[in-house]
């Protein structure tokens, strides 16, 4: 069947890689395409998003890219509130896709840039009455979208024993864990976060890794789904990302390396059990440059 021209169906689901006898990677092109499309479909269906309407969101990462791709093919105006840490190449891509990128220059006194961005978003929404805000941190559809990934995992691997992935908005891990537990109530779920992120109880502070971690607690993190948490710092994640490339030929972004490191550790300790690790995004020139500066050949 031809793909839907208003979506990127063939890019939504991951590809499966075997990294060890009992360890698999669910490797996405751009994981956020799935929840972004799911949220827009729902909003279109119930009239929160009208033809030719405006979408406003705060993001400095890949959710913005997914929204920009969808907004371009569906004919929506898109306003993205971001901060100075946004990658230059990503910003150029968003703008080429027609998005307005509004950069907040200063962090808020509480909640850092995250809060400052939320404040700016509220302003953008009041200036654009009737706009739709997907709100990836609080929208239940973010978690629900991952029913499709859980189905895909079950169809490819059957029952799995351990799910490992990084946590940013919480949608991917909380959603997938929720569905996979129906198949295996004994499932072990390991969240991967980074130092100075509040998600699993650390104090907010400067973080060098993008994609995982947060300065504010996202409502989409369902803590009841997690059995364990590991914190991976930026140099460790970058070295793991290079190792993943060198050993397995998988050229993915920094969060994929962080998750693989933890999943590999679990899989080696549980040889009779099967683990799957999320690899949320393909590598970019930027991610390989970051890994170069983080250390020599791993
Ligand atoms: C590259 C990357 N990896 C992982 C995550 C974490 O996923 P989630 O927001 O579903 O927790 C994100 C979130 O934006 C991301 O951009």
């Amino acid at each position: 069947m031809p793909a839907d021209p208003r979506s990127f169906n063939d890019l939504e689901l991951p590809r499966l890689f075997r990294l060890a006898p009992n360890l698999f990677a669910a490797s996405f092109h751009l994981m956020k395409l799935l929840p972004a499309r799911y949220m827009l479909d729902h909003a279109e269906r119930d009239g929160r998003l009208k033809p030719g309407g405006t979408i406003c969101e705060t993001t400095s990462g890949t959710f913005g890219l997914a929204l920009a791709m969808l907004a371009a093919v569906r004919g929506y105006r898109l306003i993205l509130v971001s901060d100075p840490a946004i990658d230059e190449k990503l910003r150029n891509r968003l703008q080429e896709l027609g998005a307005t990128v509004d950069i907040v220059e200063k962090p808020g006194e509480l909640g850092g840039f995250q809060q400052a961005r939320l404040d700016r978003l509220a302003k953008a929404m009041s200036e654009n009455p009737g706009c739709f805000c997907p709100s990836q941190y609080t929208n239940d559809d973010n978690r629900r979208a991952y029913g499709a990934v859980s189905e895909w995992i079950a169809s490819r691997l059957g029952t799995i024993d351990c799910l490992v992935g990084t946590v940013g908005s919480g949608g991917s891990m909380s959603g997938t864990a929720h569905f996979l537990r129906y198949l295996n109530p004994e499932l072990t779920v390991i969240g991967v976060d980074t130092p100075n992120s509040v998600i699993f109880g650390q104090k907010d502070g400067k973080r060098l890794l993008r994609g995982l971690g947060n300065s504010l607690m996202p409502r989409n993190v369902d803590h009841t789904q997690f059995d364990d948490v590991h914190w991976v710092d930026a140099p460790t994640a970058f070295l793991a990302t290079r190792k993943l490339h060198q050993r397995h030929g998988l050229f993915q972004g920094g969060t994929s390396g962080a998750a693989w490191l933890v999943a590999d550790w679990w899989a080696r300790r549980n040889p009779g059990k099967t683990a799957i690790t999320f690899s949320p995004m393909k590598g970019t020139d930027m991610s390989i440059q970051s890994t170069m500066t983080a250390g020599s050949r791993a």
Side-chain angles (χ1 to χ4, degrees), residues 134-166:
S135 189
Q136 66 158 334
Y137 299 116
T138 57
N139 189 337
D140 291 338
D141 284 342
N142 184 358
R143 282 178 284 113
R144 287 186 192 129
Y146 289 91
V149 173
S150 313
E151 243 177 51
W152 174 87
I153 293 173
S155 72
R156 299 297 304 270
L157 294 175
T159 306
I160 60 147
D161 301 296
C162 180
L163 170 70
V164 183
T166 51

mmCIF file of all heavy atoms in Angstrom, residues 134-166:
data_model
loop_
_atom_site.group_PDB
_atom_site.id
_atom_site.type_symbol
_atom_site.label_atom_id
_atom_site.label_comp_id
_atom_site.label_asym_id
_atom_site.label_seq_id
_atom_site.Cartn_x
_atom_site.Cartn_y
_atom_site.Cartn_z
ATOM 1 N N PRO A 134 0.965 20.540 21.312
ATOM 2 C CA PRO A 134 1.028 19.092 21.560
ATOM 3 C C PRO A 134 1.465 18.753 22.980
ATOM 4 O O PRO A 134 1.038 17.753 23.540
ATOM 5 C CB PRO A 134 2.072 18.607 20.551
ATOM 6 C CG PRO A 134 2.163 19.671 19.512
ATOM 7 C CD PRO A 134 1.844 20.967 20.208
ATOM 8 N N SER A 135 2.343 19.576 23.564
ATOM 9 C CA SER A 135 2.756 19.417 24.957
ATOM 10 C C SER A 135 3.262 18.002 25.260
ATOM 11 O O SER A 135 2.638 17.239 25.991
ATOM 12 C CB SER A 135 1.570 19.781 25.862
ATOM 13 O OG SER A 135 2.006 19.842 27.184
ATOM 14 N N GLN A 136 4.417 17.687 24.728
ATOM 15 C CA GLN A 136 4.920 16.310 24.829
ATOM 16 C C GLN A 136 5.188 15.866 26.277
ATOM 17 O O GLN A 136 5.181 14.680 26.571
ATOM 18 C CB GLN A 136 6.189 16.138 23.995
ATOM 19 C CG GLN A 136 7.380 16.921 24.459
ATOM 20 C CD GLN A 136 8.698 16.307 23.951
ATOM 21 O OE1 GLN A 136 8.773 15.119 23.684
ATOM 22 N NE2 GLN A 136 9.724 17.137 23.826
ATOM 23 N N TYR A 137 5.392 16.818 27.186
ATOM 24 C CA TYR A 137 5.680 16.425 28.567
ATOM 25 C C TYR A 137 4.428 15.981 29.332
ATOM 26 O O TYR A 137 4.513 15.238 30.293
ATOM 27 C CB TYR A 137 6.343 17.584 29.330
ATOM 28 C CG TYR A 137 7.651 17.992 28.705
ATOM 29 C CD1 TYR A 137 7.831 19.251 28.151
ATOM 30 C CD2 TYR A 137 8.712 17.093 28.645
ATOM 31 C CE1 TYR A 137 9.024 19.609 27.552
ATOM 32 C CE2 TYR A 137 9.912 17.441 28.047
ATOM 33 C CZ TYR A 137 10.055 18.697 27.502
ATOM 34 O OH TYR A 137 11.237 19.032 26.902
ATOM 35 N N THR A 138 3.259 16.478 28.904
ATOM 36 C CA THR A 138 2.041 16.179 29.665
ATOM 37 C C THR A 138 0.978 15.427 28.862
ATOM 38 O O THR A 138 0.049 14.876 29.451
ATOM 39 C CB THR A 138 1.390 17.486 30.182
ATOM 40 O OG1 THR A 138 1.138 18.328 29.060
ATOM 41 C CG2 THR A 138 2.288 18.208 31.163
ATOM 42 N N ASN A 139 1.087 15.420 27.549
ATOM 43 C CA ASN A 139 0.046 14.817 26.707
ATOM 44 C C ASN A 139 0.093 13.283 26.812
ATOM 45 O O ASN A 139 1.107 12.659 26.472
ATOM 46 C CB ASN A 139 0.277 15.271 25.256
ATOM 47 C CG ASN A 139 -0.848 14.884 24.334
ATOM 48 O OD1 ASN A 139 -1.593 13.943 24.612
ATOM 49 N ND2 ASN A 139 -0.960 15.594 23.224
ATOM 50 N N ASP A 140 -1.024 12.682 27.258
ATOM 51 C CA ASP A 140 -1.088 11.213 27.402
ATOM 52 C C ASP A 140 -0.819 10.503 26.076
ATOM 53 O O ASP A 140 -0.370 9.352 26.052
ATOM 54 C CB ASP A 140 -2.477 10.773 27.884
ATOM 55 C CG ASP A 140 -2.749 11.200 29.317
ATOM 56 O OD1 ASP A 140 -1.768 11.435 30.056
ATOM 57 O OD2 ASP A 140 -3.931 11.304 29.685
ATOM 58 N N ASP A 141 -1.115 11.178 24.965
ATOM 59 C CA ASP A 141 -0.897 10.564 23.649
ATOM 60 C C ASP A 141 0.578 10.252 23.402
ATOM 61 O O ASP A 141 0.890 9.383 22.579
ATOM 62 C CB ASP A 141 -1.406 11.478 22.527
ATOM 63 C CG ASP A 141 -2.926 11.442 22.420
ATOM 64 O OD1 ASP A 141 -3.525 10.481 22.949
ATOM 65 O OD2 ASP A 141 -3.498 12.366 21.811
ATOM 66 N N ASN A 142 1.460 10.964 24.060
ATOM 67 C CA ASN A 142 2.892 10.662 23.911
ATOM 68 C C ASN A 142 3.138 9.216 24.341
ATOM 69 O O ASN A 142 3.712 8.423 23.596
ATOM 70 C CB ASN A 142 3.691 11.671 24.756
ATOM 71 C CG ASN A 142 5.202 11.508 24.608
ATOM 72 O OD1 ASN A 142 5.685 10.627 23.899
ATOM 73 N ND2 ASN A 142 5.965 12.358 25.287
ATOM 74 N N ARG A 143 2.638 8.845 25.526
ATOM 75 C CA ARG A 143 2.827 7.455 26.008
ATOM 76 C C ARG A 143 2.021 6.473 25.151
ATOM 77 O O ARG A 143 2.510 5.410 24.787
ATOM 78 C CB ARG A 143 2.393 7.343 27.469
ATOM 79 C CG ARG A 143 3.419 7.902 28.437
ATOM 80 C CD ARG A 143 2.930 7.818 29.874
ATOM 81 N NE ARG A 143 1.948 8.839 30.171
ATOM 82 C CZ ARG A 143 0.676 8.625 30.442
ATOM 83 N NH1 ARG A 143 0.190 7.407 30.484
ATOM 84 N NH2 ARG A 143 -0.141 9.622 30.699
ATOM 85 N N ARG A 144 0.770 6.848 24.849
ATOM 86 C CA ARG A 144 -0.121 5.917 24.124
ATOM 87 C C ARG A 144 0.439 5.536 22.758
ATOM 88 O O ARG A 144 0.240 4.421 22.283
ATOM 89 C CB ARG A 144 -1.488 6.560 23.911
ATOM 90 C CG ARG A 144 -2.300 6.634 25.180
ATOM 91 C CD ARG A 144 -3.693 7.154 24.854
ATOM 92 N NE ARG A 144 -4.392 7.492 26.060
ATOM 93 C CZ ARG A 144 -4.993 8.643 26.288
ATOM 94 N NH1 ARG A 144 -4.992 9.596 25.369
ATOM 95 N NH2 ARG A 144 -5.612 8.869 27.426
ATOM 96 N N ALA A 145 1.129 6.476 22.124
ATOM 97 C CA ALA A 145 1.656 6.216 20.770
ATOM 98 C C ALA A 145 2.548 4.982 20.752
ATOM 99 O O ALA A 145 2.666 4.307 19.726
ATOM 100 C CB ALA A 145 2.449 7.439 20.286
ATOM 101 N N TYR A 146 3.171 4.675 21.888
ATOM 102 C CA TYR A 146 4.152 3.580 21.915
ATOM 103 C C TYR A 146 3.513 2.194 22.001
ATOM 104 O O TYR A 146 4.235 1.196 22.040
ATOM 105 C CB TYR A 146 5.184 3.816 23.028
ATOM 106 C CG TYR A 146 6.094 4.961 22.632
ATOM 107 C CD1 TYR A 146 5.792 6.271 22.987
ATOM 108 C CD2 TYR A 146 7.210 4.737 21.851
ATOM 109 C CE1 TYR A 146 6.583 7.332 22.580
ATOM 110 C CE2 TYR A 146 8.019 5.783 21.439
ATOM 111 C CZ TYR A 146 7.700 7.078 21.814
ATOM 112 O OH TYR A 146 8.493 8.114 21.392
ATOM 113 N N GLY A 147 2.180 2.140 21.979
ATOM 114 C CA GLY A 147 1.524 0.842 21.831
ATOM 115 C C GLY A 147 1.999 0.172 20.550
ATOM 116 O O GLY A 147 2.231 -1.047 20.507
ATOM 117 N N ALA A 148 2.191 0.966 19.496
ATOM 118 C CA ALA A 148 2.627 0.416 18.200
ATOM 119 C C ALA A 148 4.033 -0.169 18.299
ATOM 120 O O ALA A 148 4.335 -1.198 17.688
ATOM 121 C CB ALA A 148 2.584 1.508 17.135
ATOM 122 N N VAL A 149 4.898 0.477 19.075
ATOM 123 C CA VAL A 149 6.280 -0.028 19.229
ATOM 124 C C VAL A 149 6.265 -1.325 20.045
ATOM 125 O O VAL A 149 6.988 -2.282 19.737
ATOM 126 C CB VAL A 149 7.175 1.040 19.898
ATOM 127 C CG1 VAL A 149 8.548 0.484 20.216
ATOM 128 C CG2 VAL A 149 7.300 2.260 18.995
ATOM 129 N N SER A 150 5.418 -1.356 21.059
ATOM 130 C CA SER A 150 5.325 -2.557 21.897
ATOM 131 C C SER A 150 4.845 -3.737 21.057
ATOM 132 O O SER A 150 5.359 -4.847 21.166
ATOM 133 C CB SER A 150 4.357 -2.325 23.056
ATOM 134 O OG SER A 150 4.640 -1.099 23.669
ATOM 135 N N GLU A 151 3.859 -3.462 20.207
ATOM 136 C CA GLU A 151 3.350 -4.514 19.312
ATOM 137 C C GLU A 151 4.453 -5.005 18.383
ATOM 138 O O GLU A 151 4.602 -6.203 18.143
ATOM 139 C CB GLU A 151 2.230 -3.926 18.442
ATOM 140 C CG GLU A 151 0.892 -4.574 18.656
ATOM 141 C CD GLU A 151 -0.162 -3.892 17.805
ATOM 142 O OE1 GLU A 151 0.031 -3.719 16.600
ATOM 143 O OE2 GLU A 151 -1.195 -3.507 18.392
ATOM 144 N N TRP A 152 5.216 -4.051 17.878
ATOM 145 C CA TRP A 152 6.320 -4.387 16.963
ATOM 146 C C TRP A 152 7.360 -5.245 17.698
ATOM 147 O O TRP A 152 7.825 -6.261 17.169
ATOM 148 C CB TRP A 152 6.941 -3.082 16.435
ATOM 149 C CG TRP A 152 8.164 -3.279 15.600
ATOM 150 C CD1 TRP A 152 8.217 -3.503 14.257
ATOM 151 C CD2 TRP A 152 9.522 -3.282 16.066
ATOM 152 N NE1 TRP A 152 9.524 -3.640 13.854
ATOM 153 C CE2 TRP A 152 10.346 -3.509 14.938
ATOM 154 C CE3 TRP A 152 10.126 -3.104 17.310
ATOM 155 C CZ2 TRP A 152 11.745 -3.569 15.037
ATOM 156 C CZ3 TRP A 152 11.512 -3.166 17.408
ATOM 157 C CH2 TRP A 152 12.297 -3.399 16.281
ATOM 158 N N ILE A 153 7.706 -4.875 18.935
ATOM 159 C CA ILE A 153 8.692 -5.649 19.708
ATOM 160 C C ILE A 153 8.169 -7.069 19.919
ATOM 161 O O ILE A 153 8.872 -8.057 19.703
ATOM 162 C CB ILE A 153 8.999 -4.970 21.073
ATOM 163 C CG1 ILE A 153 9.725 -3.642 20.863
ATOM 164 C CG2 ILE A 153 9.824 -5.901 21.979
ATOM 165 C CD1 ILE A 153 9.918 -2.820 22.139
ATOM 166 N N ALA A 154 6.902 -7.150 20.322
ATOM 167 C CA ALA A 154 6.315 -8.477 20.591
ATOM 168 C C ALA A 154 6.273 -9.316 19.323
ATOM 169 O O ALA A 154 6.556 -10.517 19.350
ATOM 170 C CB ALA A 154 4.914 -8.309 21.174
ATOM 171 N N SER A 155 5.971 -8.683 18.190
ATOM 172 C CA SER A 155 5.870 -9.471 16.942
ATOM 173 C C SER A 155 7.246 -9.936 16.476
ATOM 174 O O SER A 155 7.378 -10.979 15.860
ATOM 175 C CB SER A 155 5.174 -8.663 15.841
ATOM 176 O OG SER A 155 6.030 -7.643 15.394
ATOM 177 N N ARG A 156 8.287 -9.165 16.770
ATOM 178 C CA ARG A 156 9.627 -9.551 16.316
ATOM 179 C C ARG A 156 10.334 -10.490 17.290
ATOM 180 O O ARG A 156 11.100 -11.343 16.902
ATOM 181 C CB ARG A 156 10.513 -8.298 16.115
ATOM 182 C CG ARG A 156 10.012 -7.317 15.065
ATOM 183 C CD ARG A 156 9.957 -7.902 13.654
ATOM 184 N NE ARG A 156 11.208 -8.440 13.168
ATOM 185 C CZ ARG A 156 12.133 -7.770 12.491
ATOM 186 N NH1 ARG A 156 11.905 -6.507 12.182
ATOM 187 N NH2 ARG A 156 13.247 -8.348 12.094
ATOM 188 N N LEU A 157 10.107 -10.284 18.610
ATOM 189 C CA LEU A 157 10.913 -11.018 19.601
ATOM 190 C C LEU A 157 10.102 -11.878 20.555
ATOM 191 O O LEU A 157 10.673 -12.607 21.366
ATOM 192 C CB LEU A 157 11.751 -10.026 20.439
ATOM 193 C CG LEU A 157 12.844 -9.250 19.693
ATOM 194 C CD1 LEU A 157 13.480 -8.226 20.628
ATOM 195 C CD2 LEU A 157 13.908 -10.207 19.164
ATOM 196 N N GLY A 158 8.793 -11.761 20.516
ATOM 197 C CA GLY A 158 7.982 -12.468 21.519
ATOM 198 C C GLY A 158 8.148 -11.783 22.866
ATOM 199 O O GLY A 158 8.320 -10.565 22.948
ATOM 200 N N THR A 159 8.139 -12.570 23.914
ATOM 201 C CA THR A 159 8.251 -11.997 25.263
ATOM 202 C C THR A 159 9.687 -11.558 25.525
ATOM 203 O O THR A 159 10.626 -12.297 25.236
ATOM 204 C CB THR A 159 7.870 -13.067 26.306
ATOM 205 O OG1 THR A 159 6.581 -13.560 25.961
ATOM 206 C CG2 THR A 159 7.827 -12.483 27.711
ATOM 207 N N ILE A 160 9.843 -10.372 26.066
ATOM 208 C CA ILE A 160 11.199 -9.962 26.436
ATOM 209 C C ILE A 160 11.268 -9.772 27.960
ATOM 210 O O ILE A 160 10.258 -9.575 28.637
ATOM 211 C CB ILE A 160 11.660 -8.690 25.708
ATOM 212 C CG1 ILE A 160 10.745 -7.520 26.024
ATOM 213 C CG2 ILE A 160 11.805 -8.889 24.220
ATOM 214 C CD1 ILE A 160 11.500 -6.251 26.037
ATOM 215 N N ASP A 161 12.497 -9.840 28.479
ATOM 216 C CA ASP A 161 12.689 -9.795 29.931
ATOM 217 C C ASP A 161 13.100 -8.418 30.431
ATOM 218 O O ASP A 161 12.877 -8.088 31.593
ATOM 219 C CB ASP A 161 13.768 -10.813 30.339
ATOM 220 C CG ASP A 161 13.380 -12.219 29.918
ATOM 221 O OD1 ASP A 161 12.361 -12.715 30.439
ATOM 222 O OD2 ASP A 161 14.061 -12.806 29.048
ATOM 223 N N CYS A 162 13.746 -7.638 29.565
ATOM 224 C CA CYS A 162 14.263 -6.351 30.044
ATOM 225 C C CYS A 162 14.191 -5.286 28.949
ATOM 226 O O CYS A 162 14.555 -5.546 27.797
ATOM 227 C CB CYS A 162 15.714 -6.536 30.498
ATOM 228 S SG CYS A 162 16.466 -5.017 31.119
ATOM 229 N N LEU A 163 13.689 -4.128 29.319
ATOM 230 C CA LEU A 163 13.603 -2.977 28.414
ATOM 231 C C LEU A 163 14.485 -1.871 28.985
ATOM 232 O O LEU A 163 14.367 -1.524 30.167
ATOM 233 C CB LEU A 163 12.150 -2.501 28.338
ATOM 234 C CG LEU A 163 11.879 -1.174 27.634
ATOM 235 C CD1 LEU A 163 12.116 -1.294 26.119
ATOM 236 C CD2 LEU A 163 10.439 -0.706 27.888
ATOM 237 N N VAL A 164 15.372 -1.333 28.136
ATOM 238 C CA VAL A 164 16.286 -0.270 28.589
ATOM 239 C C VAL A 164 16.159 0.927 27.650
ATOM 240 O O VAL A 164 16.129 0.751 26.419
ATOM 241 C CB VAL A 164 17.760 -0.754 28.572
ATOM 242 C CG1 VAL A 164 18.689 0.338 29.119
ATOM 243 C CG2 VAL A 164 17.931 -2.035 29.360
ATOM 244 N N GLY A 165 16.095 2.122 28.207
ATOM 245 C CA GLY A 165 16.050 3.309 27.340
ATOM 246 C C GLY A 165 16.234 4.582 28.136
ATOM 247 O O GLY A 165 16.033 4.609 29.357
ATOM 248 N N THR A 166 16.635 5.628 27.429
ATOM 249 C CA THR A 166 16.808 6.923 28.090
ATOM 250 C C THR A 166 15.447 7.576 28.320
ATOM 251 O O THR A 166 14.468 7.270 27.637
ATOM 252 C CB THR A 166 17.681 7.852 27.228
ATOM 253 O OG1 THR A 166 17.153 7.881 25.896
ATOM 254 C CG2 THR A 166 19.124 7.361 27.186
#
